């Protein structure tokens, strides 16, 4: 299917009335807040959004996003590729009160007369769907390579506690 660059801002309620479908691509670099939690800002995001009027007249956005990105392995602190998959069912509402009254299977997007920022929406959904900690498969992890060398002292205890370098690892500049 033909994909377009992600439109930045859309008149969401109008698109719901016309049953719009958006098949778009975005770069991870475009999605700054999402990129912050990753090992690099390399990568691409594919997004499919369906906008329509649903039951009870709700203005709905159903979506699916797939991001191929790099995160930091918490064991060896090098980058590893993962796919972040996000599925969402949203309803556009005017107020906080309407948001609270939505059925459980719908998440609210509170939107006034302004345009909807699709980059913001997409990165919110991707951030929620990104695993908080990530590890290579044992066979691929640099920290658990061939064991011809004796394990360094204290290596065992390091496994159990949260690595003190995990934060450092995620902000380590990449070249
Ligand atoms: Zn690793």
């Amino acid at each position: 299917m033909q994909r377009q660059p992600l439109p930045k801002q859309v008149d969401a309620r109008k698109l719901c009335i016309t049953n719009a479908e958006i098949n778009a691509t975005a770069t991870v670099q475009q999605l700054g807040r999402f990129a912050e939690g990753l090992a690099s800002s390399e990568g691409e995001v594919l997004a499919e959004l369906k906008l329509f009027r649903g039951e009870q007249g709700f203005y709905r956005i159903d979506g699916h996003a797939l991001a191929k990105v790099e995160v930091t392995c918490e064991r060896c602190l090098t980058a590893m590729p993962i796919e972040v998959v996000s599925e969402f069912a949203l309803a556009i509402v005017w107020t906080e009160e309407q948001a609270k009254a939505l059925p459980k299977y719908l998440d609210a997007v509170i939107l006034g007369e302004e345009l909807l920022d699709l980059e913001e929406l997409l990165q919110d959904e991707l951030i929620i769907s990104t695993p908080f900690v990530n590890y290579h498969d044992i066979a691929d992890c640099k920290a658990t390579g061939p064991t011809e060398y004796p394990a360094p002292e204290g290596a065992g205890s390091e496994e159990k506690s949260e690595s003190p370098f995990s934060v450092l690892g995620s902000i380590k500049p990449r070249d």
Side-chain angles (χ1 to χ4, degrees):
M1 200 180 291
Q2 195 68 31
R3 289 185 184 274
Q4 58 181 116
L6 184 72
K8 190 167 161 42
Q9 294 188 313
V10 295
D11 187 339
R13 288 187 179 87
K14 195 169 160 192
L15 292 181
C16 289
I17 293 167
T18 58
N19 282 319
E21 290 192 19
I22 298 173
N23 290 294
T25 59
T27 61
V28 169
Q29 211 151 21
Q30 257 176 280
L31 309 177
R33 282 186 295 115
F34 175 48
E36 272 174 31
L38 305 174
S40 79
S41 52
E42 296 298 310
E44 198 186 27
V45 181
L46 304 179
E48 294 176 11
L49 306 173
K50 288 187 168 61
L51 295 91
F52 61 100
R53 296 297 298 277
E55 70 284 10
Q56 296 179 50
F58 289 133
Y59 289 86
R60 294 281 309 276
I61 304 176
D62 280 5
H64 171 90
L66 169 68
K68 295 184 178 186
V69 295
E70 287 188 324
V71 293
T72 302
C73 168
E74 297 297 327
R75 191 157 38 214
C76 69
L77 305 181
T78 65
M80 58 178 280
I82 63 164
E83 290 190 351
V84 177
V85 178
S86 176
E87 307 272 354
F88 43 91
L90 308 173
I92 302 168
V93 295
W94 296 97
T95 64
E96 198 87 44
E97 246 163 53
Q98 290 174 338
K100 281 181 195 145
L102 285 176
K104 290 256 182 292
Y105 65 94
L106 291 176
D107 288 325
V109 175
I110 299 174
L111 186 70
E113 298 285 357
E114 72 274 15
L115 295 175
L116 176 64
D117 189 319
L118 287 184
E119 286 181 358
E120 291 296 322
L121 182 141
L122 194 57
Q123 54 191 326
D124 282 346
E125 297 300 330
L126 287 169
I127 288 166
I128 294 168
S129 304
T130 307
F132 192 63
V133 291
N134 299 279
Y135 298 102
H136 284 112
D137 288 340
I138 292 288
D140 300 333
C141 192
K142 291 177 177 60
T144 55
T147 50
E148 346 172 343
Y149 305 103
E153 205 145 338
S157 60
E158 210 176 7
E159 285 277 321
K160 276 177 232 128
S161 60
E162 279 293 300
S163 165
F165 303 113
S166 56
V167 172
L168 212 84
S170 63
I171 58 168
K172 196 169 66 174
R174 313 269 322 153
D175 38 32

